[in-house]
Every structure is written in C-alpha cells, then in structure tokens.
Amino acid sequence: MGYIMSQESFDAILDELSSTYRIWAPVNKVGEGRHTDTDIVRYDFVSSVKEIEWKKKSDYAFKEILTPLSQTLFFFTEDQVKEANREYKDVLVFLRSCDMHALKRQDDIYLHNGQESDYFYEQMRQHVHFVLMGCSHSYDECFCVDMGSNQTKDGYVFSFDMIDGNVHSDVKEASMVAVFDKYASQKTAITPQYVTENDVRVTVPTEIPLSIYKSDMWDEYKTRCIGCGRCNFVCPTCTCFTMQDIYYTDNGKVGERRRVCASCMVDGYTNVAGGGQYRKDQGERMRFKVLHKVYDHRQRFGHDMCVGCGRCTDVCPEYISMAAAINKLNKTVEELKNE
C-alpha cells in the first residue's frame, strides 16, 4: 500500500509511532566533523522529519544500535554472574538500500554463523525494525549497483522518499496501515527510489587463486595505510570485536565483561599469547580485509560482504579507495590466470 502526505502529516505519524518506537535516523551534526567548520552525518534519535538528513549520505553506519562500540554483557563477582539490564523498547531505523543489504551481512555473522546465534545480538535484533530511505541519485564513491545492493524489495516496515516537498511511503507492515490511513492525503502505488547507475564501477572476481596471498599487489598498502581503523568503524558490515574484563579497583574479584568493537586494520588485532602476530603489516591487513569483503564471506554465505556504500573511501585520511582495491584485485587475478 502506497501513500503520499505532507511533511506535517508525516510528523504526526512519527509522533503517533513514538509511543511504541524510538526513531533512529541520519542527522546532520553541524560543526561536529573532522574540522571545526565541517559537518558530519551520523545516526541519532529524532522526532520530526526536519531532523532527518535525507539529502546526504551518512558518514557513519547504523550498526551501533545493534552492536554498540562498547557493550557491557554481564557483571560478575567471585561466585555470581548477572546479565546487564537493557532497555528493549522497539526502534525504527531509517536505512538506505545499501545498509538494508548490510543488515543481512550483520545477521549472517551474528545469527547464521554456526549452530548457535549470538544471544546478545539476537535479543536486540528482534526489537529493531527498519524504514527504507529511497536514493534518487548516486553519491560520491558509491558502487552499490555493481555490488547488487542498490535496490531493496523487502525487510522494511515502510519506505521514505521526499519528492517535491511531500513524503512518499510504501507501507509493507500491516500494523502500520491504520496510522498512514489516518494522516496521508493520497493512496497510490509507490516504488521506493533506487540508484540504477554509479559513477564508480567495480568488477569483482568470481574465483581467486591462492597465489593472490603472495602477490605484490598488497605491498602498496604497507606504506599508504596508517592503520587508523576508520574504514572498519564506518563500515556497515564490519563485525569484529574483542572481549574485555574490567575489574573494579575497590575489589579486584568483581567486575564486568564488555564487548568492544575492534578493527582488523589496527596494530595488535592479530596478536596472540606468546608474542605471535598473524598479520604484521598493513599490506597483510589490507589483503585480509579486501578478500574477506569480496570473496571469503561469499564462500560461506553466497553473497559478498561489501555493499558498495563507499564510506571507507570517504573517511580514509590516505585516500585509499575500496573500489580501486577491488578493481586492482580483479586485474591481478586476470594476470595470474594468464601466467
């Protein structure tokens, strides 16, 4: 069922939904960018359509609502363990199509990666619902079309497009129909907007020989990459974390266990007991990341991990392009085939 309504009417819908849901959407944060005179778009709770940044691509992904940067899992004493209390009010998250596809990758890792699902992720996941934000044009560094993440046809409760000052919504969730019927001015078939062409193009190799692991194509990144990890933290599909036990100073036998987001590109991530380190330089780490995004994940789940949002390229201080890395990988694979 499709609806067209004014922004004021959509605000009334959000207000009514707020009794059941918290609304989490991209917001333009003035003066909070990397420099004092620049803005940044990141997720925050909103109550009005005017707070939602729908013209710009968000600099940070949505995933913090499901996997916080630091999350206390449980508290412990010498002889007891208590799960941390959590607020489980349902949340509506506004996502673009690439992020809707990224959500599936998050679910792959936490829910479908073996016999047991991740308990803490699963508890939050069942309370998070999604609103599809349409894309009327491609953004800089996006290559979602070639990654197959440019269009989403299911998985959202309703869609959101701003066209000629009015909100257009395709409502999928039956429980939402009544509130849209109440406020919308027009019913009509709605197809959420989606990108059909990107300026940035990539070719992903279908098969990758083992010899790629020893290729000198990765040497470039030994000096270019500074290991800051920004690419991982803005990526909507990165899921790496570490576990930290925090002991309280007044009693060294009491504390809490936290799950903390980590980065495969940061020095120390692959350190193991005894002083071993599996990936010692940035070339090896870049190899791991790129192959994981466009090959390894596909071998297990049937689709690539990268969704072509381009955030990693946008945020990199050394201007390393993920699209260029993928194309370089494909070129090297073709050269190896001809040897």
Side-chain angles (χ1 to χ4, degrees):
M1 182 69 70
Y3 297 88
I4 299 176
M5 70 219 77
S6 67
Q7 295 182 45
E8 291 75 19
S9 295
F10 191 72
D11 275 349
I13 291 173
L14 292 182
D15 184 61
E16 191 157 325
L17 292 176
S18 66
S19 62
T20 304
Y21 304 93
R22 293 181 294 167
I23 315 296
W24 180 257
V27 175
N28 187 56
K29 300 291 186 177
V30 178
E32 295 187 17
R34 280 188 275 179
H35 306 285
T36 56
D37 58 347
T38 59
D39 302 342
I40 197 167
V41 180
R42 57 180 174 81
Y43 275 78
D44 203 348
F45 292 107
V46 302
S47 58
S48 168
V49 67
K50 293 181 179 179
E51 298 176 71
I52 301 173
E53 179 52 66
W54 56 271
K55 292 182 180 179
K56 301 177 185 177
K57 176 175 69 176
S58 64
D59 295 284
Y60 288 84
F62 68 96
K63 62 183 181 181
E64 189 179 346
I65 196 70
L66 290 168
T67 55
L69 290 174
S70 179
Q71 178 185 16
T72 298
L73 304 182
F74 55 82
F75 300 93
F76 57 84
T77 64
E78 293 181 69
D79 53 8
Q80 290 183 326
V81 174
K82 178 186 180 298
E83 182 181 342
N85 295 329
R86 290 176 184 81
E87 181 183 357
Y88 283 128
K89 184 176 181 180
D90 285 12
V91 182
L92 279 179
V93 182
F94 281 63
L95 299 182
R96 298 191 186 277
S97 179
C98 59
D99 285 340
M100 285 294 299
H101 284 265
L103 172 69
K104 296 177 182 178
R105 277 63 171 171
Q106 293 278 335
D107 288 348
D108 286 342
I109 297 299
Y110 287 103
L111 300 180
H112 313 304
N113 195 15
Q115 295 183 343
E116 299 293 332
S117 60
D118 185 285
Y119 169 80
F120 298 99
Y121 180 90
E122 187 176 32
Q123 291 299 304
M124 177 57 76
R125 179 66 175 83
Q126 61 185 321
H127 293 279
V128 182
H129 315 274
F130 300 93
V131 177
L132 174 64
M133 298 178 69
C135 274
S136 60
H137 64 281
S138 177
Y139 294 93
D140 292 343
E141 307 301 340
C142 291
F143 50 99
C144 57
V145 176
D146 288 332
M147 299 310 299
S149 62
N150 57 310
Q151 185 178 19
T152 296
K153 296 183 178 181
D154 53 34
Y156 58 90
V157 294
F158 63 85
S159 67
F160 171 88
D161 276 296
M162 187 74 74
I163 302 175
D164 297 329
N166 291 320
V167 177
H168 292 229
S169 292
D170 172 39
V171 181
K172 294 282 192 182
E173 176 61 45
S175 63
M176 298 279 181
V177 170
V179 68
F180 277 86
D181 277 336
K182 184 176 178 181
Y183 295 104
S185 58
Q186 183 181 346
K187 287 185 182 181
T188 185
I190 296 291
T191 298
Q193 295 179 312
Y194 64 95
V195 173
T196 59
E197 186 175 354
N198 300 128
D199 291 334
V200 178
R201 301 296 307 275
V202 299
T203 301
V204 181
T206 55
E207 295 295 331
I208 296 178
L210 290 177
S211 55
I212 201 70
Y213 289 88
K214 298 297 183 180
S215 170
D216 59 8
M217 70 161 284
W218 309 110
D219 293 345
E220 169 192 350
Y221 305 107
K222 290 182 179 180
T223 54
R224 285 193 66 192
C225 177
I226 62 173
C228 66
R230 289 179 182 178
C231 54
N232 297 124
F233 292 119
V234 301
C235 175
T237 67
C238 281
T239 58
C240 291
F241 60 83
T242 61
M243 289 294 190
Q244 297 181 358
D245 284 344
I246 309 299
Y247 294 92
Y248 300 150
T249 55
D250 55 343
N251 186 342
K253 298 180 180 180
V254 177
E256 60 189 72
R257 174 161 294 181
R258 297 176 185 171
R259 174 153 67 187
V260 181
C261 290
S263 167
C264 63
M265 298 302 294
V266 172
D267 188 33
Y269 177 75
T270 59
N271 290 4
V272 295
Q277 189 176 28
Y278 288 109
R279 292 184 288 276
K280 297 181 180 180
D281 62 59
Q282 296 310 120
E284 293 177 336
R285 294 163 191 164
M286 188 69 176
R287 180 195 66 201
F288 171 79
K289 184 183 76 170
V290 173
L291 293 181
H292 191 54
K293 295 294 186 183
V294 296
Y295 187 69
D296 297 342
H297 191 89
R298 190 197 321 151
Q299 299 309 299
R300 178 173 295 222
F301 297 106
H303 47 253
D304 288 315
M305 195 175 194
C306 178
V307 294
C309 71
R311 289 187 179 98
C312 56
T313 305
D314 292 331
V315 78
C316 180
E318 297 299 309
Y319 305 102
I320 296 173
S321 165
M322 184 64 172
I326 294 172
N327 286 330
K328 185 177 181 179
L329 171 66
N330 184 67
K331 180 182 178 181
T332 304
V333 169
E334 292 301 314
E335 291 173 349
L336 290 173
K337 288 180 181 179
N338 297 325
E339 288 183 355

